[in-house]
Amino acid sequence: MAEVVQYHLEQMVGELEDLERRDLFTKPELKAIVKKRSKFEYALRRRRVKCIDYLRYIEYEINVDALRRQRKQRKQQQSAKTTLSDFSITQRIIAIFERAVVRHPEDVQLWLQFVEFIKSRRRMSTADADEEDDGHSRLLSQVFARAISAHPYESQLWIKAAAHELEVNMNGSAARALLQRALRLISDDKELWIEYFRLELLLVEKIKARRRVLGIDGEKETEDSEEVQATGSEDTEDAGFIDLPQLDEEGGQDLMVEKLTEKALAQLDQKTAANAGNLTEEQRAAMSQQTNAYLQGAVAQIVFEQAIQAISDDLSFRQELIAIAGQFAGAEQLRQRVLDSIRQDFAADADARAYLCSVHLSTISTESPELIDGLQLAVENFKQALSELDTPEMWAKYVEFLSQWLDASESMKSLQAYFAAQRKRAAAMISESRDARLNEKLALSCADVIEADGGDVLSWLADATQRFPDSADLWHRRMSALVAGNRDGLASGVASSSRIDNLFTSQALLQAPDSCKLWDLWFDWTELWFSRKDVSADKVQARYMSAFARVTQQRTLQALSADPDSLAQVQALVAHLQTRYIDWAWKLPASHKPLSAFGELAHAQFRPDDDDSDMEDGEQCAEPVGGNIEALRQAYRNVSRHAFPTPGFYRRCIELETDAKHLAMLHEMACRVDEAESEPWLAYLRFLAGSKQLSQASDVFWRASQTIHDAEQPAFEAAYKKIINTGFVSTPLPRFGATRRVKNPLIPSKDQTKGASEVAFPGPFSPAFSTVDTIPLDHAEEDYQQVLRRIRETRSDCVVVGQKITDVPNPNDPNAQADNPEIVTASLDSESSYYSD
């Protein structure tokens, strides 16, 4: 391993000498660079090398090269002759990328980063460096070929390769061939079809531009003949073509055969331009007729037909194709063809019909006078679509369209009045045929219309909740309207409040027990009564207790079902309600009497007219500074004993609790909720490490290792080591070489850990201001084990140090220089017994 590392370091000698000769880096800086590169090279020679190791090395080299460029520019050496250091770092980065993709060919992101780096270096190359530019282009083609061979089913690689052929190599035929080969392998990929469709339209547009320059088809001829020659030869240039090997998965014929490709048209255009003076008008018209089909987008239309056969039921896919066709001036017929296909294939789809009704508005500017006519046409289209597709979904789209433009036309009063009248008329038509035209979403939209017009929205919502009793949104809207209507008269409106309370408990929460916002509305209303001293804290607790019971029952029912999403939603609701209860208890006034246990609240009822408040008349229900800790503790005891606590509940309790004894109890109970999860155990270990309870931490780690899933064991152990390193092994080992006693780094002194995450140990024979390096935390444990093994064998060692952090003076050597060697040898005394087995 050392020989290979030494070989790579020796290859840097010429570059380093050139950097020093050009005065871009000083000798100490070059030493630091060599030291850092040596560390990276040793890391890449390990048995298990991760992808991040290569990326860190690459990032360091990119930063060094950026610093070199800045210093070169500052020293005004841009016009100097190109030397070895100008391109050696780029070559080294490319070599590191090559080693990385050889070791990790399965990493797609690594290939993409390799491609982006070469592209960035190509853009940074100067205009006169044609050879370097061509070299990057050829290298990029080779990298694309290797990447696609390793990942033939990654569409992004095919698309980027085709873009490289078209934009860099100026080879439209190669770009088309790449996308066609990709579509043979992954014919159901939307991005590939979209980019292929865009490519064909772009090639047609380029040919049209060339024909305008050549003066063909009656267009005005320009004098830029050099540009014509450069553009006409773009399709014959194939020196940088991406040479892909034949894949076993490929088969069948081409997706399409063009009678007149752009290469043939280019040759025809050149011939026509040469004989332009001898052509008659009839010959020009005949030639224009021969090429008319291709120039009007016949090839792109074939691509579209093939695409909708492969992806037939995706409306958004066709909408993207329409958007692309709208970017090209001569693609109106193709755009209309796509619209006709949507009208034919999605005749019963409300989303498609709504899109067709308003698609013409996308081509009209909001400041254009044609906007008014376009909006009126859209309304007429909606009415025509409703006569053909009279469904609740279509009516919902119509009302949504009217509401959007009603809000957008605030500055135009006449237009706003027009949309308001249309929306009111639509709501009246929906109300006349509720059985056939009404659904949940439409009922909410009509409620907005009725409320805006000052109608009886409560009657509408009452009817809507009877028609759709399972709709949480409708119940929330109805109860919000009732609570808002009764909020001003809460003190005297006992009957109305009792009706609202009964409607909450007997209907709304019973029909939609898993609606978080409905539960929040109920408790907001309850806590409002409590804040006005109309109910006691015990009765608010009773309400929370009944909510826990009902939601827990709902969680049990969902656990028996086969829908994991519903179960996760109910579990999140349980955690939310428990956390809300804790926050409410925490915000109680400090003078409030202690909360009762849940067991004493079995017969408590919620009666707003009871005058049994827990506070005096003049007392304000303000949030205390720091919180009511006693109420908090009684609250989480209630939940722990009479409900099913969740991990989120215990996390919130731990955030609010301040006493170490109670914190230990909460961590212990949190770990018991789900013993197979690692996060509660790690939080417990962080707490124990912070309070320096090492023996308890060791016991907890052993218990956790017996219960955590096997798949999470490596990550858990690594996190545990990091916790220990952060709290106790963050200090690096001293440089061995000084005859001194070394304390156990696993049990640091208070001075070592106070106010710093890393502490340096200079040896007695180190320089007066030697630069002290530290071991990275993620590698600390590995380095410590290496030290221990070495000491058992030779009783001495030398630590490979890492990044510089500080300068530490040494009074024993006042005449030492700062650039003296940093590694000192020493022996260990007999008292360092912690290194023994």
Side-chain angles (χ1 to χ4, degrees):
M1 178 174 69
E3 294 80 1
V4 177
V5 173
Q6 186 65 25
Y7 170 77
H8 286 292
L9 295 178
E10 290 175 356
Q11 304 302 312
M12 309 173 190
V13 174
E15 169 199 337
L16 298 176
E17 291 177 348
D18 185 55
L19 290 173
E20 185 180 7
R21 182 171 55 255
R22 300 177 65 176
D23 197 23
L24 295 177
F25 289 93
T26 62
K27 184 173 260 186
E29 289 176 336
L30 293 176
K31 288 182 179 180
I33 291 174
V34 172
K35 182 179 180 181
K36 197 71 174 179
R37 287 176 176 175
S38 176
K39 175 183 175 181
F40 282 123
E41 290 292 342
Y42 274 109
L44 297 186
R45 298 304 301 175
R46 291 182 298 186
R47 181 172 299 176
R48 294 182 180 180
V49 185
K50 298 180 180 179
C51 185
I52 189 63
D53 296 328
Y54 291 99
L55 295 179
R56 287 170 180 165
Y57 195 1
I58 292 169
E59 182 183 8
Y60 175 77
E61 292 293 340
I62 291 176
N63 293 334
V64 171
D65 190 50
L67 180 60
R68 180 195 64 82
R69 291 175 181 272
Q70 291 179 1
R71 291 183 176 182
K72 180 180 177 181
Q73 184 177 7
R74 186 170 63 247
K75 294 178 181 296
Q76 298 180 355
Q77 296 183 3
Q78 292 292 340
S79 59
K81 182 180 179 181
T82 301
T83 58
L84 177 62
S85 61
D86 290 328
F87 55 84
S88 59
I89 299 180
T90 299
Q91 291 179 347
R92 179 175 298 103
I93 297 174
I94 293 175
I96 299 171
F97 264 119
E98 292 285 355
R99 295 160 66 183
V101 296
V102 169
R103 179 64 73 93
H104 300 281
E106 73 286 349
D107 194 331
V108 180
Q109 293 301 320
L110 183 60
W111 286 103
L112 292 175
Q113 288 177 314
F114 194 6
V115 169
E116 292 301 326
F117 171 76
I118 300 176
K119 285 184 177 180
S120 65
R121 281 299 184 263
R122 182 181 178 275
R123 289 190 294 265
M124 291 171 60
S125 60
T126 56
D128 56 349
D130 294 334
E131 293 186 6
E132 184 179 357
D133 189 28
D134 294 341
H136 287 153
S137 179
R138 288 192 295 269
L139 176 61
L140 193 56
S141 298
Q142 296 172 4
V143 172
F144 271 127
R146 294 166 54 194
I148 291 175
S149 299
H151 300 278
Y153 295 99
E154 288 292 336
S155 60
Q156 288 299 318
L157 291 174
W158 291 97
I159 293 172
K160 289 182 179 294
H164 170 70
E165 288 294 341
L166 181 66
E167 299 170 1
V168 179
N169 294 338
M170 301 298 179
N171 195 336
S173 299
R176 176 190 288 119
L178 283 171
L179 292 180
Q180 287 179 352
R181 294 186 68 179
L183 288 170
R184 293 192 193 103
L185 297 175
I186 38 180
S187 60
D188 57 346
D189 191 280
K190 292 197 303 182
E191 291 298 325
L192 279 176
W193 283 111
I194 289 172
E195 295 304 325
Y196 190 20
F197 184 74
R198 192 199 310 272
L199 173 66
E200 292 297 344
L201 290 175
L202 184 60
L203 292 177
V204 171
E205 190 67 23
K206 293 174 67 175
I207 293 176
K208 287 182 179 180
R210 179 171 55 224
R211 291 167 68 85
R212 286 194 296 268
V213 172
L214 294 174
I216 303 175
D217 290 340
E219 299 288 344
K220 183 179 179 180
E221 183 177 4
T222 65
E223 298 179 356
D224 195 1
S225 59
E226 295 179 357
E227 181 181 355
V228 172
Q229 295 177 0
T231 309
S233 62
E234 63 184 11
D235 299 317
T236 61
E237 178 66 34
D238 57 356
F241 175 67
I242 299 177
D243 187 13
L244 293 177
Q246 185 67 26
L247 302 176
D248 297 336
E249 293 86 348
E250 290 185 307
Q253 300 178 352
D254 291 342
L255 297 176
M256 48 171 289
V257 178
E258 302 88 353
K259 293 182 179 180
L260 289 173
T261 63
E262 70 278 359
K263 181 181 292 188
L265 285 172
Q267 296 174 357
L268 182 61
D269 292 343
Q270 293 291 340
K271 181 178 179 181
T272 303
N275 301 323
N278 300 326
L279 292 177
T280 63
E281 294 297 331
E282 292 78 6
Q283 290 174 334
R284 287 178 179 272
M287 185 192 66
S288 176
Q289 185 176 0
Q290 291 174 1
T291 61
N292 189 33
Y294 181 80
L295 295 180
Q296 289 183 353
V299 175
Q301 183 172 345
I302 296 175
V303 173
F304 162 71
E305 292 174 354
Q306 295 287 337
I308 62 175
Q309 290 181 9
I311 307 173
S312 58
D313 55 350
D314 194 335
L315 176 62
S316 62
F317 174 60
R318 303 196 191 190
Q319 291 175 351
E320 292 185 25
L321 295 180
I322 291 175
I324 292 173
Q327 299 173 3
F328 297 89
E332 292 297 330
Q333 295 182 358
L334 180 59
R335 185 172 180 270
Q336 189 60 41
R337 172 70 183 88
V338 182
L339 290 173
D340 293 340
S341 70
I342 294 177
R343 189 175 293 105
Q344 178 181 357
D345 298 340
F346 298 90
D349 190 298
D351 293 332
R353 298 300 295 269
Y355 173 76
L356 293 173
C357 291
S358 59
V359 66
H360 62 279
L361 295 176
S362 61
T363 60
I364 302 177
S365 173
T366 55
E367 300 178 355
S368 174
E370 300 177 357
L371 179 62
I372 303 298
D373 295 335
L375 290 173
Q376 293 179 351
L377 178 60
V379 171
E380 295 298 328
N381 290 340
F382 267 108
K383 293 180 179 179
Q384 179 65 28
L386 287 170
S387 63
E388 300 174 0
L389 187 66
D390 191 1
T391 61
E393 292 78 13
M394 193 65 209
W395 279 100
K397 290 293 180 182
Y398 180 41
V399 174
E400 181 182 358
F401 170 79
L402 295 175
S403 300
Q404 288 178 352
W405 280 100
L406 179 63
D407 297 336
S409 58
E410 293 180 356
S411 59
M412 305 176 66
K413 298 300 182 182
S414 59
L415 189 61
Q416 190 176 26
Y418 170 76
F419 281 112
Q422 292 294 334
R423 192 177 69 164
K424 184 176 180 180
R425 187 178 298 111
M429 296 177 65
I430 293 170
S431 180
E432 293 175 359
S433 304
R434 299 184 185 184
D435 296 335
R437 295 175 177 173
L438 196 64
N439 62 4
E440 300 177 23
K441 183 178 180 180
L442 195 56
L444 289 171
S445 300
C446 290
D448 295 335
V449 177
I450 294 172
E451 186 177 12
D453 294 337
D456 189 2
V457 67
L458 289 176
S459 300
W460 173 267
L461 291 171
D463 180 74
T465 51
Q466 290 180 1
R467 292 176 180 274
F468 309 101
D470 297 334
S471 175
D473 294 333
L474 283 174
W475 277 112
H476 180 266
R477 181 63 186 277
R478 180 184 179 185
M479 301 311 299
S480 298
L482 287 172
V483 170
N486 289 270
R487 182 169 298 169
D488 296 334
L490 281 176
S492 58
V494 177
S496 298
S497 300
S498 300
R499 176 175 172 270
I500 294 174
D501 183 66
N502 182 67
L503 197 60
F504 262 120
T505 56
S506 62
Q507 295 189 42
L509 295 173
L510 190 63
Q511 296 291 345
D514 55 350
S515 174
C516 183
K517 60 182 180 181
L518 197 57
W519 284 103
D520 280 339
L521 179 63
W522 188 41
F523 282 113
D524 287 340
W525 183 67
T526 302
E527 293 174 8
L528 179 62
W529 279 98
F530 174 74
S531 66
R532 297 193 178 188
K533 302 182 294 184
D534 292 321
V535 295
S536 64
D538 288 345
K539 293 182 179 180
V540 177
Q541 283 198 108
R543 176 147 295 187
Y544 273 108
M545 183 176 64
S546 63
F548 295 158
R550 181 175 296 183
V551 176
T552 302
Q553 182 182 6
Q554 184 70 15
R555 182 175 65 174
T556 304
L557 295 176
Q558 293 294 340
L560 298 176
S561 65
D563 189 3
D565 295 334
S566 299
L567 178 59
Q569 180 180 359
V570 175
Q571 288 176 342
L573 176 59
V574 173
H576 174 73
L577 292 180
Q578 292 176 354
T579 303
R580 181 183 178 119
Y581 172 55
I582 289 297
D583 290 336
W584 170 77
W586 173 256
K587 295 176 183 179
L588 287 175
S591 59
H592 196 282
K593 73 176 185 179
L595 294 179
S596 302
F598 270 3
E600 304 173 3
L601 305 176
H603 302 290
Q605 301 293 331
F606 184 80
R607 290 288 183 267
D609 53 342
D610 292 344
D611 189 14
D612 56 354
S613 174
D614 301 315
M615 296 174 290
E616 300 297 334
D617 293 338
E619 186 178 342
Q620 298 294 327
C621 185
E623 180 178 350
V625 178
N628 192 332
I629 192 65
E630 294 299 330
L632 170 70
R633 291 169 182 171
Q634 182 60 49
Y636 65 65
R637 280 195 295 266
N638 288 339
V639 175
S640 301
R641 295 171 183 174
H642 300 280
F644 292 92
T646 60
F649 162 76
Y650 281 118
R651 280 196 299 269
R652 182 56 179 164
C653 294
I654 292 170
E655 291 174 1
L656 300 176
E657 183 58 73
T658 57
D659 183 69
K661 181 178 179 181
H662 289 85
L663 281 172
M665 178 195 68
L666 289 172
H667 278 293
E668 189 70 33
M669 298 173 70
C671 293
R672 295 177 183 177
V673 174
D674 191 354
E675 295 182 341
E677 292 294 329
S678 61
E679 186 56 36
W681 292 104
L682 291 174
Y684 195 6
L685 290 170
R686 292 189 193 99
F687 165 73
L688 295 175
S691 57
K692 300 184 180 180
Q693 303 180 40
L694 299 183
S695 59
Q696 292 88 335
S698 178
D699 295 338
V700 170
F701 173 74
W702 182 87
R703 287 167 48 200
S705 62
Q706 306 301 313
T707 58
I708 292 178
H709 296 297
D710 294 339
E712 299 182 7
Q713 286 286 348
F716 173 72
E717 293 178 1
Y720 171 68
K721 291 179 181 179
K722 189 171 183 180
I723 291 172
I724 298 300
N725 291 341
T726 303
F728 302 97
V729 197
S730 60
T731 61
L733 282 177
R735 292 191 180 89
F736 296 98
T739 305
R740 54 175 290 193
R741 179 178 177 180
V742 184
K743 291 188 64 178
N744 186 350
L746 297 177
I747 308 177
S749 64
K750 294 182 179 180
D751 295 336
Q752 296 171 6
T753 58
K754 181 178 180 180
S757 60
E758 293 181 338
V759 181
F761 289 85
F765 301 107
S766 58
F769 289 92
S770 67
T771 54
V772 180
D773 297 346
T774 61
I775 301 173
L777 295 181
D778 52 349
H779 300 298
E781 183 66 20
E782 180 181 354
D783 293 336
Y784 273 51
Q785 296 301 327
Q786 293 178 1
V787 170
L788 295 178
R789 287 195 298 269
R790 201 85 167 272
I791 290 174
R792 296 188 188 105
E793 297 174 0
T794 63
R795 305 300 298 171
S796 64
D797 197 4
C798 180
V799 180
V800 179
V801 294
Q803 186 177 4
K804 300 179 180 179
I805 59 169
T806 184
D807 291 334
V808 181
N810 186 0
N812 296 332
D813 193 1
N815 299 321
Q817 300 297 324
D819 57 351
N820 284 347
E822 299 177 2
I823 298 179
V824 188
T825 60
S827 60
L828 295 174
D829 58 78
S830 59
E831 294 182 3
S832 299
S833 58
Y834 67 94
Y835 287 114
S836 62
D837 293 331

